[in-house]
Amino acid sequence: MSPVVIAIIGIVVLVVLLALAVITRYKVAGPSQAFIITGRRGKKSTDPVTGRTSIDNSGQKVVVGGGVFVVPFVQQKFTLDLSSRHIPVAVRGAVTLRGVKSNLEGVAIVKVGGSEDAIRAAAQRFLQQQNGIVGFTQEVLSGALRAIVGRMSVEDIIRDRAAFAGQVAEEAEASLSGQGLILDAFQIQDITTEGSYLEDLGRPEAARAKQEADIAEAIARRASEQARLKAAEEIAIAERTFYLKQAEIKAETEAAAAKANAAGPLAEAARQQEVLAEQEKVAERQAALTDRELDTKVRKPADAARYRAEQEAEARRIAQVKEAEADAERSRLTGQGEKLHRSALADAVRIEGESEAAAIAAKGAAEAEAMQKKADAFKQYGDAAVLQMLVEVLPQVVAKAAEPLSAIDKMTVISTDGASQLSRTVTDNVAQGIELLNSTTGVDLGALLKNLQAKTAGTAPSAAVPSSSANGEKIEIKD
Amino acid sequence: MTIFLGLGIAGIALLTLSLIFDGILEGLLGDALGGLLNGFFDGLLSLPVIAGFLSMLGFGGAIVLGTTGAGIPVALAAGAGAGLVAAWLTWKFSQALMRDQTTATPRGADLIGTSGSVVTPIPADGYGEVLLRLAGQTVKFSAKSAVPVERGAEIWVEAMLSTTSVTVRPVER
């Protein structure tokens, strides 16, 4: 590599390094920075009046937001932060103008002033202890706040921002402006009082607000309720109208439907009616025809027949009358003959009767006489005659009593009494027959017999009976 | 040739050292040169200027010697000229930056005569707050006034009471 080339490269490097060496000494301040450049001598000036010479501090430069060439070693550059600082401030137990103890919490926004004077002042105080700004300001502002609260009432602190700001400015002027600090803002964040002072302060208003709210609420509720009821009423009315209309329409449609449904049957009925009317006419005509037919066919022939029958009957009647008359005449004529005949017959009968009667009378008288004579004879004979008759009769009685037995063809007797019982039965029948006679005729045959026995006992006791038995007349049972 | 290159490299080394140990070499040099660095010369003999001169002298001499084949005195003279030019340029550049003052830092006194508006009413005897424009920035100042001033009123700054408070009077139009 030739020395020329080395030299050229060296020149290039030299130019670059020279540029760097110069430029690195030029410093530019940021927007929130202030440079304080110290080290240069200030300008000398002479007071024209007194003649004293003095050196100002123009050698100490303050640069805000610009650039500056810092000569190495001779000058020194310092940086001051101009940005805001957020500083909480709290005061406890501060007594207000009216003696109310209160606790306040506030916040202050503090920064280093942007003007040269403020930067110089702040740089002298805080340059090497910029973090101390917060603590320092906090302490100063706490005291200031306490003083401010002491000059104001709680109500004013809360309400009168202008008065508060004025007080703060006054206090800050005294304490902060000398430090080159600016109080950008100072606001109370919270204020509380010991006891219930603040709460009591708001209570009347709260009560009034509550009252108004209640009233407003009640009114609103009333209005809404009224509106609701009115709406409901209107709805009900509308519903009623709707239902009425609906019913009306339904009735109309149903009537129309019924009419439509009835139209068919009605037409049918009308048609049938017409048919019937026609049929009626036909029937009438037919009846008339039939009538006339009957007239011609039946009635008139009947009339004719009746007339003929009447005529015939009349004729027959007349004929009969004539015949009857003739008959009567004939009867009358024959009656007279009959009468004569009958009277002759009657006479004959009368005469026969009379003769017969005379014969009977004669017979009766003869019988009566015979009876009389018989009675007399009986009287003479007494009971013996009666007994005579009875004895004549008794065999017939016993025969009659034994008659049932005569009907028996074959008889087998199964009895402990044996066949003797049979004869006893016959005697029983006789006794019963006597008894029957007694009860029916009143003739006590027994008594009669006893009487007879008693009568005879005096004279000829038991003459008759023994005589009968003595006579050997036995009562036989005949077959 | 080697001496020229050595001078140039020595200058670069000096500059590098001055960049790394900012201010230390200058301090030593400043001590040695005394008050020359301040006052009259005012940075004329600062380290970059000296290093630039030296380095440029070396490199310039080497280039002239290597290219033209002229004698060492010619080369030395040419290098010295180039070195002077470099030194002068460095000095001027530094001077330009030093002189290049940005906007002046605002001072409280600048506010006098400006107008602003009241943000907190100013009572008769007490502080209110006013909003003022100071060097293009809006700043809130505490303010006093002879007469009470309502909020929103336009005011005019009469005087500075402190760095954070002013005396104002309402503007009557």
Side-chain angles (χ1 to χ4, degrees), chain A residues 408-470:
Chain A
I408 298 168
D409 185 32
K410 186 183 177 184
M411 186 174 69
T412 309
V413 177
I414 304 167
S415 170
T416 50
D417 294 333
S420 61
Q421 181 65 25
L422 192 64
S423 57
R424 201 181 299 161
T425 303
V426 173
T427 53
D428 283 351
N429 282 358
V430 172
Q432 280 170 4
I434 292 165
E435 196 69 24
L436 194 68
L437 189 73
N438 187 23
S439 62
T440 52
T441 59
V443 178
D444 191 352
L445 200 61
L448 204 64
L449 287 174
K450 273 179 197 162
N451 196 17
L452 187 65
Q453 197 177 1
K455 213 176 274 180
T456 55
T459 59
S462 65
V465 174
S467 67
S468 67
S469 58

Side-chain angles (χ1 to χ4, degrees), chain A residues 124-278:
Chain A
Q124 284 178 12
R125 287 163 181 82
F126 302 114
L127 190 63
Q128 305 301 327
Q129 46 170 3
Q130 292 189 36
N131 292 329
I133 292 177
V134 172
F136 168 79
T137 313
Q138 205 164 23
E139 284 166 14
V140 170
L141 283 179
S142 294
L145 188 59
R146 196 177 288 273
I148 292 164
V149 169
R151 288 200 295 267
M152 298 178 78
S153 66
V154 176
E155 293 92 319
D156 286 344
I157 292 168
I158 294 167
R159 289 172 196 151
D160 196 347
R161 186 193 166 279
F164 183 74
Q167 297 286 344
V168 169
E170 203 168 308
E171 283 295 320
E173 276 311 307
S175 55
L176 291 180
S177 65
Q179 323 294 321
L181 296 175
I182 288 177
L183 186 63
D184 268 350
F186 186 52
Q187 296 295 336
I188 298 291
Q189 280 180 321
D190 190 20
I191 181 166
T192 54
T193 53
E194 288 181 3
S196 59
Y197 181 78
L198 277 176
E199 287 81 356
D200 294 344
L201 213 62
R203 267 166 66 187
E205 183 63 20
R208 195 185 59 76
K210 188 177 184 309
Q211 186 190 32
E212 281 181 4
D214 286 349
I215 289 167
E217 202 173 56
I219 289 169
R221 199 167 59 236
R222 184 182 64 190
S224 71
E225 193 69 9
Q226 279 174 349
R228 194 182 65 74
L229 289 175
K230 188 150 179 58
E233 187 187 334
E234 282 172 6
I235 287 167
I237 288 168
E239 273 179 354
R240 186 188 62 187
T241 312
F242 171 67
Y243 286 134
L244 286 175
K245 203 80 179 166
Q246 215 175 20
E248 199 178 317
I249 289 165
K250 194 180 173 190
E252 279 178 9
T253 51
E254 278 179 357
K259 203 171 169 185
N261 290 338
L266 275 176
E268 181 72 13
R271 204 174 54 73
Q272 278 182 351
Q273 213 169 14
E274 283 174 15
V275 170
L276 284 174
E278 291 305 312

Side-chain angles (χ1 to χ4, degrees), chain B residues 103-159:
Chain B
T103 49
T105 306
R107 305 172 68 90
D110 298 341
L111 285 168
I112 295 169
T114 61
S115 66
S117 60
V118 176
V119 289
T120 304
I122 303 169
D125 52 346
Y127 284 96
E129 287 171 316
V130 295
L131 212 57
L132 301 173
R133 287 179 71 79
L134 174 60
Q137 56 182 325
T138 311
V139 189
K140 192 176 77 175
F141 281 83
S142 296
K144 275 190 160 186
S145 173
V147 292
V149 186
E150 282 305 303
R151 180 183 170 178
E154 196 176 359
I155 44 88
W156 184 67
V157 179
E158 282 185 319

